[in-house]
Amino acid sequence: MRLDSRVRPRVTPFDVIDQFPEGWQEDIAAVAAEADFRDFPRTPFLSQEAADITHITRGRVHAVQVQQRLPWLYKLYRDRFLELACLGWGEPIDPAVDDRYGIVLNVQRGNRMRFECHVDSNPLTGLLFFTDHPAGGGELAVARNPAAVGVDEVERDCTLITPRAGRLIFFDGKTYPHYARTLVAEHDTRVVAVMNFYTRSCPESTTRPLGLNQHLFGDD
Ligand SMILES: [Fe+2]
């Protein structure tokens, strides 16, 4: 895979596998196995799914579990990965102040789950892949057309990012709709950490849609 930073959407990759502690695979596998697997309703404000899609089946490890069970990952989000975000994006970057959504894990188990086609509320997103998929599938598809709606329109013209354990990417998911493809193998599992970052021109305090926390957490 070649990632060309001159092409939009701009995707900045790093390999950070040497930052992981010993036993990281066991840590990640144990936490991912306990993910909240269910049909998630489409996300208000941010969903770019086609009109007939009401739910998407997937797994989520919520932010509080990441902080409690993977403290090394939470720490990396707030220091080393933050430094890489600034380096990669070429401007000052801030992590989320609100710990309810700063860093979570998305988990796809088997070959029927995918991740919702959506845009992000934050101006810069970091994705850190923890799994490889030799049988294929699980690619992140990022539309080149900011107006793309639904998986079919994204697929028509997109940048594909192949998951690889230790690959960290930064991209503007607020502008470019994106989703994660299903896996090919029936017994495969895809685990990715999703990190919210903010720029000074698009800070957390003003960019998060009113009502999104109510939908996700039951309060604002
Ligand atoms: Fe996203």
Side-chain angles (χ1 to χ4, degrees):
M1 183 190 66
R2 287 194 62 205
L3 295 173
D4 187 337
S5 61
R6 293 166 301 179
V7 174
R8 303 284 164 179
R10 173 177 152 204
V11 176
T12 313
F14 295 92
D15 184 349
V16 297
I17 201 157
D18 61 349
Q19 306 281 323
F20 295 171
E22 207 171 315
W24 68 269
Q25 279 167 307
E26 291 78 12
D27 280 5
I28 293 291
V31 174
E34 295 169 19
D36 181 11
F37 291 103
R38 58 187 163 91
D39 292 341
F40 283 80
R42 49 190 295 153
T43 310
F45 313 108
L46 305 176
S47 188
Q48 293 284 114
E49 288 286 345
D52 59 331
I53 303 290
T54 58
H55 292 76
I56 301 93
T57 310
R58 62 175 170 89
R60 160 66 48 91
V61 176
H62 300 282
V64 64
Q65 272 94 45
V66 173
Q67 287 161 52
Q68 289 171 357
R69 303 281 305 278
L70 302 167
W72 55 269
L73 180 58
Y74 180 73
K75 186 171 184 305
L76 283 169
Y77 164 58
R78 293 193 165 272
D79 52 43
R80 186 67 188 127
F81 296 165
L82 178 64
E83 289 171 20
L84 292 176
C86 297
L87 194 70
W89 223 244
E91 63 180 282
I93 301 292
D94 296 304
V97 172
D98 192 324
D99 271 337
R100 291 174 302 178
Y101 50 76
I103 176 166
V104 299
L105 300 187
N106 287 338
V107 185
Q108 290 167 233
R109 195 166 57 183
N111 56 6
R112 301 178 76 90
M113 296 183 184
R114 65 175 176 84
F115 196 82
E116 182 176 8
C117 185
H118 69 286
V119 289
D120 299 330
S121 62
N122 44 298
L124 182 64
T125 291
L127 292 185
L128 172 59
F129 299 101
F130 287 108
T131 47
D132 297 282
H133 305 285
E139 296 89 352
L140 175 75
V142 184
R144 295 199 179 95
N145 173 11
V149 174
V151 166
D152 291 348
E153 283 189 24
V154 171
E155 287 287 345
R156 213 166 289 154
D157 185 21
C158 64
T159 296
L160 288 178
I161 292 126
T162 304
R164 198 175 66 205
R167 173 175 281 164
L168 169 67
I169 63 155
F170 297 101
F171 75 109
D172 172 6
K174 188 173 194 292
T175 302
Y176 299 98
H178 50 284
Y179 87 105
R181 287 178 173 176
T182 55
L183 294 166
V184 169
E186 193 180 345
H187 298 294
D188 204 358
T189 300
R190 177 189 193 268
V191 184
V192 63
V194 182
M195 293 167 269
N196 284 16
F197 291 101
Y198 296 88
T199 57
R200 300 290 153 87
S201 61
C202 199
E204 181 179 2
S205 56
T206 58
T207 50
R208 193 137 173 113
L210 281 173
L212 184 58
N213 290 339
Q214 179 71 35
H215 170 82
L216 295 173
F217 312 116
D219 65 70
D220 259 321

